[in-house]
Amino acid sequence: MAGARKYHHGEVRETAVSAALALIEADGPDALTMRALAKAVGVDHRALYRHYPDRDAVLAEVAAEGYRQLLSDQSERCAGSDAPLQTAFEAYVHFALDRPHLHGLMLSRSRQAMDAHAALGAAVKAELDQLMIWSRQALGVALGERETDARDLAFAALAAAYGLVTLAASASLMPRSPEGLRAFVSDQVAGVLEGQLMRIKAQPVAR
């Protein structure tokens, strides 16, 4: 193609992920086609197929990058936090509301996609594993103790956050400023966490 850029080995793949991420964040996943991505990268679209077999593989790679960026944001905010699980979900809410197209893509990837694309599966696992660590800290337990409770705590908050963010994206919540919306959703998720913590800690520990 005219004006095609020259890349060293491996650079096309890295550049393609960044370009695909930019396309998706600007106009949503439907904006991503292999030809549009090739144009953004500056290569012939056939060159992309040497790195990605199809569009789904690109979407999986972008979703994986989204999970990595989310975990990085959460970890940075949680450093030194007295309540890391709550802080992690505040970071999740901010990420999801500020980057709705990317968040929607991340949550729309199926279990089959995670199994088929190793990078995506690994990124999702890293996020969930870290949520479990913060959940155990919230419960004051060690690895192997009250694992079901730790998982239920994390997933109850995740369900609340996802549900409220989805409602916000569909304009089903009362109109609010971006700051007000982030505060409202974060407060609701914090309430779910507090309620779940009270419920779990009131239960007798199985012997």
Side-chain angles (χ1 to χ4, degrees):
M1 63 183 290
R5 302 172 195 169
K6 294 182 179 180
Y7 290 96
H8 294 295
H9 181 72
E11 287 184 340
V12 170
R13 187 179 185 92
E14 181 178 342
T15 304
V17 173
S18 298
L21 179 59
L23 283 170
I24 289 168
E25 294 222 70
D27 298 310
D30 289 345
L32 180 70
T33 65
M34 296 300 273
R35 288 185 180 275
L37 181 57
K39 182 178 180 181
V41 174
V43 297
D44 188 283
H45 75 277
R46 288 168 294 189
L48 291 179
Y49 287 101
R50 301 189 190 112
H51 301 273
Y52 296 101
D54 52 33
R55 176 177 178 272
D56 284 344
V58 180
L59 291 174
E61 192 66 41
V62 174
E65 178 61 19
Y67 277 106
R68 289 190 289 266
Q69 291 186 14
L70 169 61
L71 182 54
S72 177
D73 288 353
Q74 290 172 314
S75 298
E76 183 176 348
R77 286 173 178 260
C78 287
S81 173
D82 293 331
L85 185 62
Q86 180 174 334
T87 301
F89 276 104
E90 289 174 357
Y92 175 93
V93 168
H94 283 229
F95 181 97
L97 292 176
D98 291 346
R99 308 175 76 178
H101 291 314
L102 177 58
H103 176 255
L105 172 68
M106 291 159 59
L107 270 293
S108 68
R109 298 304 88 191
S110 66
R111 169 55 62 184
Q112 289 79 7
M114 295 176 198
D115 292 339
H117 302 283
L120 175 58
V124 173
K125 184 178 185 300
E127 168 67 15
L128 296 178
D129 285 350
Q130 186 58 55
L131 284 179
M132 283 293 291
I133 290 172
W134 288 321
S135 190
R136 292 186 197 102
Q137 291 175 351
L139 291 172
V141 299
L143 177 65
E145 299 176 354
R146 305 193 74 162
E147 288 292 286
T148 298
D149 289 336
R151 184 183 65 247
D152 289 351
L153 177 61
F155 276 85
L158 187 59
Y162 174 71
L164 286 164
V165 166
T166 301
L167 286 173
S170 65
S172 296
L173 295 178
M174 292 291 291
R176 289 177 169 84
S177 68
E179 296 78 10
L181 186 59
R182 283 193 292 266
F184 172 77
V185 175
S186 294
D187 285 347
Q188 300 310 304
V189 176
V192 170
L193 278 173
E194 292 169 6
Q196 288 294 312
L197 277 169
M198 291 177 61
R199 180 187 65 80
I200 291 170
K201 290 182 177 181
Q203 295 173 346
V205 179
R207 300 293 182 181

